[in-house]
Amino acid sequence: MAKKSKKQQPGGTPATVALTAAGATYTVHAYDHDPAHPSYGEEAAEAMGVSPDRVFKTLIADVDGTLTVAVVPVAGQLDLKALAAAVGGKRAAMADPALAERTTGYVRGGISPLGQRKKLPTVLDASASSHPTICVSAGRRGLEVELAPEDLAKLTEAVLAPVSRA
């Protein structure tokens, strides 16, 4: 296994650095981000020509006082009750965006489930398993990383559970 590097490679993000350090197989997709687009995830799917059910958004929720990462398809919505149940909690609510940014080290619309500043419990929607690869934010708006869902689950120590709804 490759040695972890705290140093960011040119053009890299903490997410891509973490993937490289772990020896994971992945592909980076860059596109021109339009700040006026109403949905970061849908914009990514359109720009990459990928089905929205293969592009996953990273959301930060508060489950019984613990920040928790939910990775769900951009075509769906996070089911907060299901998220709480997946991590053995009772109540979940979306986290304060500023707190999510401070805790993960990423800006809203560019939060990656990988390479976060602080390790948080993570839940990957079970639908990810139906695809050979999925796309998640690579750590900034206009940059996605494509990888096998089992690699994402392993690297983030994610629980797989049905936490999205149409």
Side-chain angles (χ1 to χ4, degrees):
M1 188 174 264
K3 198 173 167 186
K4 254 191 181 177
S5 169
K6 297 229 185 231
K7 210 172 179 189
Q8 207 168 317
Q9 297 164 352
T13 66
T16 58
V17 170
L19 285 164
T20 301
T25 301
Y26 66 96
T27 305
V28 172
H29 298 278
Y31 60 91
D32 292 326
H33 166 63
D34 175 5
H37 200 289
S39 166
Y40 298 120
E42 288 174 13
E43 176 191 29
E46 290 167 12
M48 295 185 302
V50 174
S51 172
D53 65 338
R54 279 191 49 229
V55 179
F56 283 63
K57 56 190 170 187
T58 305
L59 302 172
I60 309 298
D62 180 319
V63 179
D64 297 336
T66 300
L67 288 183
T68 303
V69 178
V71 185
V72 298
V74 301
Q77 292 183 336
L78 175 60
D79 181 333
L80 290 165
K81 278 186 172 184
L83 176 65
V87 295
K90 292 183 182 196
R91 288 200 166 153
M94 293 307 298
D96 173 67
L99 179 60
E101 289 180 347
R102 276 194 315 275
T103 305
T104 63
Y106 293 116
V107 297
R108 208 171 69 138
I111 294 179
S112 177
L114 299 154
Q116 294 182 357
R117 187 177 285 154
K118 182 179 178 189
K119 183 133 184 67
L120 300 173
T122 301
V123 179
L124 174 59
D125 186 68
S127 68
S129 298
S130 64
H131 305 287
T133 61
I134 60 171
C135 299
V136 296
S137 175
R140 76 172 163 248
R141 296 173 188 153
L143 197 66
E144 293 280 311
V145 64
E146 181 178 351
L147 74 164
E150 41 293 337
D151 288 345
L152 178 62
K154 183 180 174 188
L155 293 168
T156 59
E157 299 176 16
V159 171
L160 258 69
V163 293
S164 73
R165 60 177 185 254

